Amino acid sequence: MRALHAGADSTHTRGPRGASSTLGITAAAALAPIVWGTTYLVTSELLPPDRPMTASVLRAVPAGLLLLLISPGIPGHGWRLKTAVLGVLNIGLFFPMLFVAAYRLPGGAAAVVGSAQPLIIIAMSTAFGWGRTRPVQVGWALVAVVGVALTTMSSTVRLDAIGLAAAAIGTASMATGVVLTKRWGVPPNSNPLNSTAWQLLVGGMVILPLIPIVDDGPWAIDAEAVLGYAWLAVIGGAMAYALWFRGARTLPSANVSLLGILSPLTAAVLGWIVLGQNMTGLQCAGFGIALFASTAGQFVPRNSR
């Protein structure tokens, strides 16, 4: 039990060793949104068109099975409902909304909506009395939203109502999942990877019946599609979610949510490098502002509980 709770207590540890541990967990958790920033590029360039639910299932279920092989077991009786709820919020609802937004919106528009997630997490934590956030951290979250908006600004953006609604619902769903993940933690005497595996599997099973209802694109699997689905499942699913949930359970919710800003910033950089999209001086300035705000928010002194 002492070893199990060591990670959860690391944020309250004083001294260089505790700070080093927190920095390592933060850096590892930051890899998740960086990887997720590749989703728009992979979806638009490698996957078959108009199949968002298929992409969601193939991202979640193989990743869940892989993690279950690494950490087998079934959640205890008192944790099965919690695991199912987290699976729906973090995967079952978030994934479909993510891919619908990716198919129907320019990456920049979806990024601006998603960048509001830190504000939702801060508001929920404060409203339920599950944590206090310093005003300076709220300020950094607002600065990050402005930075993302500037980074993804384009005069040719066409907004789609369904895509915007999907992006908003997905952002709220993931924010709620982060808050509850921090609140509930993991079952005693269990491997956190097992909880992540079941969340991915539950979420994938929730999405599966939506494939014949929502997807209407051609089912064409070629080498590019296989590469795209493999990337989303193994790297963007199993690896990224294992690191993200570890950070969500250990770090303050506001800190974790600010790391999510790295996802749209990564998407912007990939659009510039891979797709040849031009970035204006204003967009570069926005990139710097958002990156600085996301980083600065990690070093705000924490309130004692």
Side-chain angles (χ1 to χ4, degrees):
M1 288 294 290
R2 187 181 301 274
L4 175 66
H5 292 291
D9 293 336
S10 64
T11 56
H12 303 289
T13 303
R14 298 184 182 275
R17 185 174 182 180
S20 176
S21 175
T22 300
L23 183 61
I25 293 173
T26 301
L31 289 176
I34 291 174
V35 169
W36 294 336
T38 66
T39 299
Y40 180 76
L41 176 67
V42 171
T43 300
S44 61
E45 299 298 314
L46 298 179
L47 302 188
D50 300 320
R51 300 201 67 89
M53 299 304 110
T54 301
S56 299
V57 171
L58 291 180
R59 182 179 185 178
V61 174
L65 292 175
L66 176 61
L67 292 180
L68 198 60
L69 287 174
I70 298 174
S71 179
I74 299 175
H77 289 287
W79 288 86
R80 291 174 187 175
L81 179 59
K82 291 180 179 180
T83 302
V85 169
L86 291 177
V88 172
L89 290 173
N90 290 321
I91 311 297
L93 181 57
F94 175 68
F95 274 17
M97 297 300 100
L98 171 69
F99 281 103
V100 168
Y103 275 111
R104 302 184 71 100
L105 285 179
V112 172
V113 177
S115 66
Q117 186 182 111
L119 299 174
I120 298 175
I121 290 176
I122 290 170
M124 290 184 63
S125 298
T126 303
F128 289 105
W130 291 344
R132 293 182 179 181
T133 302
R134 292 182 180 272
V136 65
Q137 204 153 28
V138 178
W140 285 128
L142 291 170
V143 171
V145 173
V146 173
V148 171
L150 292 176
T151 303
T152 57
M153 182 178 293
S154 173
S155 59
T156 60
V157 169
R158 295 181 180 180
L159 300 181
D160 176 87
I162 296 177
L164 283 175
I169 293 171
T171 299
S173 175
M174 187 65 168
T176 306
V178 169
V179 172
L180 292 179
T181 297
K182 175 66 176 178
R183 179 68 177 173
W184 290 338
V186 293
N189 301 316
S190 67
N191 191 321
L193 291 181
N194 181 263
S195 175
T196 302
W198 282 106
Q199 287 186 51
L200 288 163
L201 290 173
V202 168
M205 293 301 102
V206 170
I207 302 167
L208 187 61
L210 299 177
I211 291 179
I213 300 173
V214 177
D215 291 2
D216 58 4
W219 179 236
I221 291 293
D222 53 19
E224 291 184 347
V226 171
L227 178 62
Y229 287 129
W231 173 266
L232 292 178
V234 179
I235 307 300
M239 186 199 80
Y241 272 94
L243 295 175
W244 179 254
F245 287 141
R246 178 176 177 240
R249 287 185 294 265
T250 307
L251 302 172
S253 298
N255 292 48
V256 175
S257 63
L258 279 169
L259 292 177
I261 300 298
L262 298 175
S263 181
L265 297 185
T266 302
V269 170
L270 290 175
W272 176 46
I273 296 176
V274 179
L275 301 180
Q277 298 172 348
N278 295 325
M279 289 187 69
T280 65
L282 185 62
Q283 289 175 310
C284 292
F287 180 92
I289 291 170
L291 183 60
F292 180 79
S294 177
T295 304
Q298 306 302 315
F299 296 97
V300 175
R302 295 163 193 159
N303 288 313
S304 59
R305 190 176 180 87

